[in-house]
Amino acid sequence: MANKSRGIVFLGAPGAGKGTQAVMVAKDLDVPHISSGDLFRDHLKRGTELGKLAQTFMDKGELVPDDVTIGMVKERLGQPDCLNGFILDGFPRTVPQAEALDAALAEMGKCISLVPYLRVRESMLMERLTHRWTCKACGAVFPYEAQPPRTGCKKEHCDGDLYQRADDNPETQKRRIEVYMKQTAPLITYYRQRGLLIELSGEHTIDYVYRILQDAIAISKYCGE
Ligand code: AMP
């Protein structure tokens, strides 16, 4: 690869802190943050057919079928802002998605350079997910107590409204974690075998995890090195 591009894939259960860290790393590296969940929520907001289909799965905490999801993310990765790299958050979530991603990146002359895996105990995941606010405008996530909704987002001058995601309720949440264990956790082995995985505890503070990540990214290779 001619340019110094980086492709980073965040792995971890719902509530592990992937989104929070992914946004920070993307800003740091000046590459797009691509969240498959956000892409679906955007389709939902716009009332597209894809959005309507996705909602039936999202409401239940199930995964949207692979073919639909892969097509959507491939299209996003092909956009010009991904030329120097990308941060994937929430994709891939199944082994077929990971394989399709490898094939698509190879076709585009891109690659994955690092896969940070944020490990968090299940009891803490449940606690975090049922107690968080999400910003409608920028997608930032806050613990309930730290950011009461009346104050709005305030992150990086954002003034978006805070809301509780429809799928952040205990029943759907439980299902999302089950689905993660069964369908997504095998990706830990998938990426470890390819020498791309770094495993870190996501139970520390946001800043602490971010520092470890910054160090790991600094010493990781660029694509093609
Ligand atoms: P997230 O915002 O990553 O928690 O995703 C919210 C929901 O969107 C998930 O519970 C799934 O229903 C759907 N979704 C997001 N990413 C994927 C994916 N890679 N594969 C299938 N479904 C997904």
Side-chain angles (χ1 to χ4, degrees), residues 26-72:
K27 190 163 175 282
D28 227 23
L29 299 182
D30 196 22
V31 294
H33 163 233
I34 303 173
S35 150
S36 43
D38 284 351
L39 293 178
F40 283 130
R41 280 183 287 276
D42 183 54
H43 274 278
L44 224 118
K45 214 159 53 182
R46 290 187 282 125
T48 67
E49 286 309 309
L50 197 156
K52 285 178 204 156
L53 171 81
Q55 183 161 31
T56 58
F57 295 92
M58 293 168 86
D59 284 349
K60 291 183 285 187
E62 303 287 342
L63 295 186
V64 180
D66 279 344
D67 53 343
V68 178
T69 309
I70 291 165
M72 178 183 73

Side-chain angles (χ1 to χ4, degrees), residues 69-194:
T69 309
I70 291 165
M72 178 183 73
V73 176
K74 258 173 80 169
E75 197 270 325
R76 178 66 188 87
L77 283 169
Q79 289 174 19
D81 61 342
C82 295
L83 207 64
N84 292 326
F86 54 85
I87 310 290
L88 280 173
D89 161 19
F91 182 93
R93 254 175 159 102
T94 63
V95 170
Q97 286 183 13
E99 288 168 347
L101 175 64
D102 285 343
L105 291 176
E107 251 176 52
M108 295 178 196
K110 298 184 166 106
C111 82
I112 298 169
S113 48
L114 192 70
V115 180
Y117 160 49
L118 303 184
R119 181 177 19 85
V120 174
R121 273 168 298 164
E122 192 171 332
S123 55
M124 194 180 262
L125 295 173
M126 286 295 286
E127 176 65 23
R128 282 185 181 178
L129 284 161
T130 43
H131 294 97
R132 70 175 184 182
W133 298 109
T134 304
C135 173
K136 270 187 192 163
C138 72
V141 174
F142 304 94
Y144 252 37
E145 319 75 43
Q147 198 83 351
R150 66 176 182 284
T151 61
C153 177
K154 303 277 181 286
K155 188 151 193 148
E156 315 264 337
H157 310 296
C158 175
D159 64 354
D161 290 333
L162 301 184
Y163 77 114
Q164 192 177 23
R165 270 174 49 175
D167 55 355
D168 278 351
N169 64 73
E171 300 77 51
T172 314
Q173 191 38 45
K174 196 161 178 298
R175 182 65 193 139
R176 287 166 70 202
I177 293 173
E178 281 167 7
V179 166
Y180 167 80
M181 296 297 178
K182 194 159 169 237
Q183 301 193 62
T184 310
L187 293 180
I188 299 166
T189 306
Y190 183 93
Y191 286 118
R192 186 179 285 128
Q193 283 172 345
R194 284 158 179 75

